[in-house]
Amino acid sequence: MRETLGEYELDAETLGVGELRRYLNTVWEELRTPAGRESLKRQGLPEDIAGQKFEEFFFVEPSGAALVDPVSVLIGMLITGAGTVGKDLWKKVLLPRIEERYGKKALKARKTTEKKAGDELK
């Protein structure tokens, strides 16, 4: 089962879907190091969460809007049981790292009329 954390709009001049995936994989690999695990622990997250591959835990893919707007992406979790941990990992670790590297305008939550899991993360 998949749980969507949100639909985001990428700043095409700053960040593309492929680059976003590569960067998140790089961050994930850093979380697997002793320093990364310690960082997770300090944030109140389980150290062993990064024991999986990024693609086994999260997904990043063009959204349905990408057919018209190629810079829209869906970001979510593949393991719905991860619930709060996955949302906290996104909100406390992954999203801040993206914003730090690419700027706050690189990835913006897309406003939708439909309420989705993770909307509170916007």
Side-chain angles (χ1 to χ4, degrees), residues 47-58:
E47 299 171 56
D48 62 346
I49 198 165
Q52 303 174 57
K53 292 183 179 180
F54 178 81
E55 299 86 8
E56 293 172 351
F57 197 86
F58 286 100

Side-chain angles (χ1 to χ4, degrees), residues 27-99:
V27 171
W28 195 261
E29 288 304 313
E30 290 171 7
L31 294 174
R32 297 175 82 157
T33 67
R37 289 176 185 269
E38 183 60 33
S39 172
L40 290 171
K41 186 177 175 181
R42 281 193 310 271
Q43 303 234 20
L45 295 164
E47 299 171 56
D48 62 346
I49 198 165
Q52 303 174 57
K53 292 183 179 180
F54 178 81
E55 299 86 8
E56 293 172 351
F57 197 86
F58 286 100
F59 66 88
V60 177
E61 62 188 33
S63 73
L67 299 174
V68 182
D69 177 8
V71 295
S72 296
V73 294
L74 289 176
I75 297 174
M77 299 178 296
L78 293 171
I79 305 168
T80 56
T84 303
V85 171
K87 290 174 186 175
D88 285 349
L89 182 59
W90 171 249
K91 185 170 61 173
K92 294 179 178 180
V93 179
L94 300 175
L95 184 58
R97 294 281 296 267
I98 293 166
E99 291 174 342

